[in-house]
Amino acid sequence: MKAKIIASGLFWLAGLCCALPAAAEPVASRKETPVRVVSTLYEDFAWQAVFAIPAPGTTIADQSRAVLEKYFDSDLASLFVQDAQCRNRTNGVCKLDFDPIFASQDPSASDLTLTPSSVSKVAVEFAYSSNREKIRLLYTLKQTAQGWRITDIQYANMGNSSLRKILQSKSH
């Protein structure tokens, strides 16, 4: 049974990588667009939704500033780093208690789509594999000296809260 689940998970991951364009190309060699930045984020971190137990330090929230700044603007990357430092200092949850690219503590996704909704916004929609609940995230990006970078993620299924607001909150 476990082998069947892992095999179907690997099949899903392979399908996601094929569905998201140019997975093998380095980011710098591709024509960067908002959709490409969000697509690359999922290409690089979608495996979390397939495997049951991610290794510590491997989710997007646990990455170094250098890795975060490949996807996020420097302000949002700083907020991620501050939250990671808080988690390390307190040995517990600080402001972010879910995976920000899956809007869940237990990442899973099927039927993931990315759709530009304006010049600087990308809608990501998918269903949780366990209960088929439809999830919608709205990524806002801006053009920086380094290219397009994510400035916020809005969570439609979480009362339209946003990643930036969560990370800027006064708690902890």
Side-chain angles (χ1 to χ4, degrees):
M1 180 71 170
K2 252 190 184 200
K4 187 176 183 180
I5 292 170
I6 291 171
S8 73
L10 291 173
F11 178 74
W12 178 87
L13 182 59
L16 177 64
C17 289
C18 293
L20 299 174
E25 293 178 47
V27 173
S29 72
R30 300 183 220 159
K31 181 178 183 275
E32 192 173 77
T33 65
V35 171
R36 176 76 67 195
V37 172
V38 176
S39 173
T40 301
L41 176 65
Y42 280 91
E43 289 169 13
D44 293 347
F45 292 94
W47 59 267
Q48 299 173 70
V50 176
F51 296 103
I53 304 171
T58 56
T59 66
I60 190 64
D62 294 315
Q63 298 302 312
S64 68
R65 176 183 297 280
V67 170
L68 291 165
E69 287 183 348
K70 291 179 182 178
Y71 314 98
F72 301 98
D73 73 351
S74 61
D75 292 340
L76 196 53
S78 292
L79 292 170
F80 269 114
V81 169
Q82 290 169 14
D83 196 61
Q85 290 169 341
C86 175
R87 284 193 318 272
N88 290 336
R89 189 174 52 254
T90 63
N91 221 10
V93 172
C94 287
K95 296 176 183 177
L96 193 61
D97 68 345
F98 61 93
D99 186 311
I101 67 172
F102 291 103
S104 175
Q105 291 177 341
D106 301 311
S108 71
S110 62
D111 306 323
L112 189 141
T113 62
L114 288 85
T115 309
S117 63
S118 73
V119 172
S120 62
K121 294 187 185 279
V122 177
V124 174
E125 296 178 339
F126 57 88
Y128 288 141
S129 302
S130 60
N131 63 7
R132 305 300 301 157
E133 178 185 359
K134 301 255 187 246
I135 303 301
R136 185 172 196 274
L137 311 178
L138 184 62
Y139 285 75
T140 303
L141 295 89
K142 73 175 181 181
Q143 185 69 259
T144 69
Q146 294 73 38
W148 286 99
R149 294 297 181 266
I150 299 163
T151 62
D152 206 358
I153 305 172
Q154 188 173 7
Y155 303 100
N157 295 61
M158 298 169 81
N160 284 323
S161 63
S162 85
L163 178 60
R164 183 174 294 278
K165 286 180 184 173
I166 291 166
L167 291 174
Q168 288 176 331
S169 69
K170 300 289 183 202
S171 65
H172 277 95

